[in-house]
Amino acid sequence: PPGSRLPLPTSHDELRALAQEFNALLVRQEEVSDRLRRFTGDAAHELRSPVASIRVQAEVAVTNPDPELAQETLSDILTEAERLSSLLDGLLSLARSDAGEVPPAEPVEVVTEVRDAVERLPAGAPETRVSTAVPQAWASAEHAEVQLVLDNLLRNASRYANGQIVVSVLAARGLVRVVVDDDGPGIAPEHRAKVFDRFYRVSDDRARTSGGTGLGLAMVAEAVRRRGGRVRVGESPDGGARFEVSWRAAR
Ligand code: ADP
């Protein structure tokens, strides 16, 4: 644990154990800096594409006097600027979490949160049904964090679903679980382990044209895991995607 110190060795065996511990620590350290290096590189790469696009569009606008074209170009610039802005928001939120800035846990009533999140879906989203056997389910989490998790899962589901989304809330064995099922194309098994990685996208084009950042599920996983909860992805009964998150129940 952070801040803990190993006792000084007094025997050969203890010295050996200490060396082993030290080596394990070095390996972990290398893994952490590898991950950090990869993340920084990926982030720079991701930020570069909207910036490059803004630049090209602005050049077009500056050199071409046609007002109709200018309108179109400005609207594209705005879209890219918004994308840049959500990327930065995501990066900042992950950085805060990486730095250990985690708000204290409080009891959050998840059934209400789910209904509110469904209300927040944009007009024209697929039909979304909430299914729960319990009137209330209190999780040990934080309010904004639960909203982030639900908004991201629902937004993804509505992006990919063909016609129907089902959100189930279950409370049992000291856990509060939310399961989001959609009837879209689903996620092939070989991608499932990676969809929670930062910037990972199953199909680059599909996500890009729908304005994704590739950070949504990484933030979901981070928000849930830092409370000791779990995230999982699998297949829904309709063959679409199933995302499942669970928190410890608040007492
Ligand atoms: P993005 O911002 O690209 O949506 P996410 O982290 O939210 O990033 O999701 C990562 C990738 O996982 C998406 O690009 C998409 O390929 C896939 N994905 C997420 N949710 C679903 C879903 N409900 N159905 C199918 N694919 C999904």
Side-chain angles (χ1 to χ4, degrees), residues 53-77:
S53 164
I54 286 174
R55 201 168 161 177
V56 169
Q57 306 271 19
E59 267 165 22
V60 170
V62 164
T63 52
N64 197 313
D66 179 1
E68 213 165 288
L69 185 70
Q71 200 59 35
E72 218 174 280
T73 322
L74 281 177
S75 141
D76 288 348
I77 289 177

Side-chain angles (χ1 to χ4, degrees), residues 93-94 97-98 102 145 196 198 217-227 231:
S93 132
L94 286 166
S97 199
D98 287 346
V102 179
E145 201 175 67
F196 294 104
R198 296 173 185 191
L217 289 176
M219 290 196 287
V220 166
E222 180 66 30
V224 172
R225 287 179 184 146
R226 70 189 188 188
R227 301 291 173 201
V231 292

Side-chain angles (χ1 to χ4, degrees), residues 152 156-157 159-160 182 185-187 195 200-203 206-207 212-218 241 243:
N152 271 289
N156 280 345
R159 203 175 270 169
Y160 293 99
D182 69 54
I187 296 175
V195 289
Y200 189 81
R201 297 180 187 93
V202 173
S203 147
R206 196 168 54 173
T213 61
L215 289 177
L217 289 176
F243 280 89

Side-chain angles (χ1 to χ4, degrees), residues 114-115 118 121 126-132 154 163-169 179-181 237-238:
V114 166
R115 294 195 198 283
V118 171
L121 278 174
E127 187 201 330
T128 306
R129 189 161 61 80
V130 178
S131 151
T132 175
L154 285 176
Q164 164 125 309
I165 302 167
V166 181
V167 191
S168 318
V169 184
V179 181
V180 180
D181 286 319
D238 293 321

Side-chain angles (χ1 to χ4, degrees), residues 6-206:
L6 295 169
L8 293 177
T10 53
S11 70
H12 189 74
D13 279 352
E14 278 181 14
L15 198 60
R16 225 183 122 78
L18 191 69
Q20 274 166 351
E21 188 124 0
F22 186 72
N23 285 335
L25 200 68
L26 284 179
V27 170
R28 269 207 302 281
Q29 196 62 45
E30 273 162 26
E31 281 166 6
V32 168
S33 48
D34 269 0
R35 211 171 331 130
L36 194 63
R37 214 179 355 249
R38 197 157 359 107
F39 180 51
T40 313
D42 288 350
H45 178 80
E46 294 288 333
L47 292 170
R48 200 175 186 167
S49 107
V51 171
S53 164
I54 286 174
R55 201 168 161 177
V56 169
Q57 306 271 19
E59 267 165 22
V60 170
V62 164
T63 52
N64 197 313
D66 179 1
E68 213 165 288
L69 185 70
Q71 200 59 35
E72 218 174 280
T73 322
L74 281 177
S75 141
D76 288 348
I77 289 177
L78 191 60
T79 307
E80 291 299 328
E82 277 160 4
R83 193 178 143 69
L84 202 50
S85 172
S86 22
L87 262 167
L88 289 171
D89 286 347
L91 286 172
L92 272 177
S93 132
L94 286 166
R96 274 194 220 103
S97 199
D98 287 346
E101 284 174 43
V102 179
E106 59 191 3
V108 179
E109 207 286 286
V110 174
V111 177
T112 307
E113 294 300 332
V114 166
R115 294 195 198 283
D116 290 350
V118 171
E119 291 288 314
R120 282 195 295 273
L121 278 174
E127 187 201 330
T128 306
R129 189 161 61 80
V130 178
S131 151
T132 175
V134 289
Q136 290 193 325
W138 292 88
S140 172
E142 192 262 339
H143 189 244
E145 201 175 67
V146 173
Q147 282 184 342
L148 177 143
V149 168
L150 298 174
D151 283 344
N152 271 289
L153 294 183
L154 285 176
R155 205 181 317 128
N156 280 345
S158 70
R159 203 175 270 169
Y160 293 99
N162 283 318
Q164 164 125 309
I165 302 167
V166 181
V167 191
S168 318
V169 184
L170 305 102
R173 278 176 266 125
L175 290 178
V176 172
R177 279 199 296 149
V178 176
V179 181
V180 180
D181 286 319
D182 69 54
D183 60 356
I187 296 175
E190 65 268 27
H191 295 294
R192 288 183 193 156
K194 289 183 247 155
V195 289
F196 294 104
D197 289 355
R198 296 173 185 191
F199 303 119
Y200 189 81
R201 297 180 187 93
V202 173
S203 147
D204 232 42
D205 281 346
R206 196 168 54 173

